[in-house]
Amino acid sequence: MLLWQIFWLFARVALFSWGGGPASMALMQRETTAVGWATPEEFADALAVGNALPGPIAPQVSAYIGYKMAGVSGAIAAAGGTVLPTTILMLIMVVLFFGIKDSPTIKAMLVAVRPVVVGLLLWTTYEMAVSVFGVKKLGWVAALTQGWDKMAIIAVTFILLTFTKINPVFIILGAAGLGYLAYR
């Protein structure tokens, strides 16, 4: 029964979130924390681990939480729930979309959906910031003041990704090395 619940929760997230893996993180966080499968801190850890690995983020984060809930079987159920329904839907939609992609109605709908995806990503970023900086314990001012080092890491990451062509993997590996040296 638990494996079915895991599969179904992640299938719902996959089917009802728009904008791909990163955009689904907001809904995935809301759903998994609502049922008590992950705390915001655990979700931030899952997201960090998933971002450190190559490949799509949604199945990685879902597998992390599925594993926490039910071991390897839970990880498989979670990743399957994340991937199978949307893959089947995508195969159907690809066939249909190429017939309607130039429709003014479809184009108009996509104009409104794209900013929603940005909003979902911003919400996920906000929720992660609350967790990473310990805002609930300290409040925003104290959390940002005490977390100046994390703000610096965020700023350097943003600058590197915006103004260079450095692969994010190297930024993540550099941050892991910095964490090993500075935070042990």
Side-chain angles (χ1 to χ4, degrees):
M1 189 64 173
L2 178 60
L3 294 178
W4 173 248
Q5 290 172 332
I6 291 169
F7 179 89
W8 181 239
L9 182 138
F10 289 104
R12 275 194 333 263
V13 168
L15 289 169
F16 294 107
S17 56
W18 296 81
S24 71
M25 292 300 98
L27 182 57
M28 189 181 293
Q29 180 179 16
R30 182 170 284 179
E31 292 292 316
T32 58
T33 57
V35 295
W37 292 357
T39 65
E41 293 77 18
E42 289 170 327
F43 192 86
D45 289 345
L47 199 55
V49 169
N51 274 313
L53 299 171
I57 188 71
Q60 293 168 342
V61 173
S62 65
Y64 180 104
I65 294 168
Y67 184 85
K68 177 187 178 239
M69 295 305 300
V72 173
S73 298
I76 292 168
T82 302
V83 174
L84 289 176
T86 54
T87 300
I88 293 166
L89 184 60
M90 185 63 183
L91 292 172
I92 294 166
M93 290 303 296
V94 164
V95 172
L96 297 175
F97 184 73
F98 279 96
I100 61 170
K101 70 180 175 70
D102 295 324
S103 158
T105 302
I106 297 300
K107 286 182 177 182
M109 291 167 68
L110 290 174
V111 167
V113 168
R114 289 180 189 127
V116 169
V117 173
V118 173
L120 290 169
L121 291 169
L122 287 173
W123 180 82
T124 302
T125 302
Y126 168 80
E127 284 291 311
M128 283 196 66
V130 167
S131 174
V132 167
F133 288 99
V135 171
K136 289 181 181 175
K137 292 179 189 172
L138 303 172
W140 276 106
V141 174
L144 294 177
T145 303
Q146 292 177 18
W148 65 269
D149 53 336
K150 294 173 188 146
M151 289 297 293
I153 293 169
I154 291 168
V156 168
T157 301
F158 181 79
I159 290 166
L160 287 173
L161 289 173
T162 303
F163 298 109
T164 73
K165 293 190 185 283
I166 190 168
N167 188 311
V169 168
F170 296 116
I171 297 170
I172 292 167
L173 290 173
L178 174 66
Y180 176 77
L181 294 173
Y183 298 112
R184 280 193 295 159

